[in-house]
Amino acid sequence: LVVAVLCVVLSAPLWIDEAAVKSEIAGLASRATGDIVELDRLQLDYFPLPGVVISRPKYSAPGVAEIQAESAAVTIDLWALLSGRVQPRVVNLKGARVTVRLPAGAPGAEPLSLETADLQLRQVIGQITAAMPNLQATIEDARVEVQVGDRPPLVLQAVNASVGISDGSIDVE
């Protein structure tokens, strides 16, 4: 059995369509959010578990948010890959730079309600959990900038977080 598993792992580069895996990784992120995803360079790894190392990934929701990172390492579920599906299980994002832009309320206008913000957040969480169930992610050494209108931004440096998606919910530490 050990020899059979070793043969499968060592022969994987011969029968796994690398271009399709790379395309599916970008497509998963884009479908989960409906926004723009750019991946600079992808390198497939097969040992000890199949995965992808992405150089300088970028995500953009025009006018709302941008995320850039030095790298992202994505571990792919082996059994899903053997059946022709790409299912990320673990994502490690290093050196992320996050910019969030919130509109400034017009003078005398109603501020954004918590009810509206909650509804929007639940919709995004639903999209992400449907596209990537049972995903675990870590974010290391991130810089987060929140810009509200023309006000000076709120900047958080050296942010580390752990995110788990399971049973349709997202847990953040």
Side-chain angles (χ1 to χ4, degrees), residues 3 25 33 49 56 69 76 89 91 121 135 139 145 153 158 162 171:
V3 172
I25 291 288
T33 63
L49 292 172
R56 295 178 297 281
I76 300 169
R89 286 290 173 231
V91 176
L121 183 59
L135 179 73
I139 301 167
E145 182 176 308
S162 187
D171 296 317

Side-chain angles (χ1 to χ4, degrees), residues 61-149:
V64 178
E66 294 174 6
I67 301 172
Q68 299 179 25
E70 294 169 15
S71 68
V74 181
T75 302
I76 300 169
D77 183 284
L78 176 61
W79 301 117
L81 187 60
L82 292 175
S83 68
R85 295 179 300 115
V86 176
Q87 186 65 52
R89 286 290 173 231
V90 178
V91 176
N92 295 312
L93 195 61
K94 293 186 180 178
R97 302 296 175 251
V98 180
T99 303
V100 177
R101 291 180 185 83
L102 301 173
E110 289 283 325
L112 178 65
S113 75
L114 289 178
E115 183 178 319
T116 301
D118 181 63
L119 177 63
Q120 291 172 345
L121 183 59
R122 287 179 188 276
Q123 289 172 340
V124 170
I125 288 171
Q127 291 172 328
I128 292 170
T129 58
M132 295 181 251
N134 302 317
L135 179 73
Q136 300 299 312
T138 58
I139 301 167
E140 299 175 20
D141 193 30
R143 179 179 189 275
V144 179
E145 182 176 308
V146 179
Q147 180 78 46
V148 179

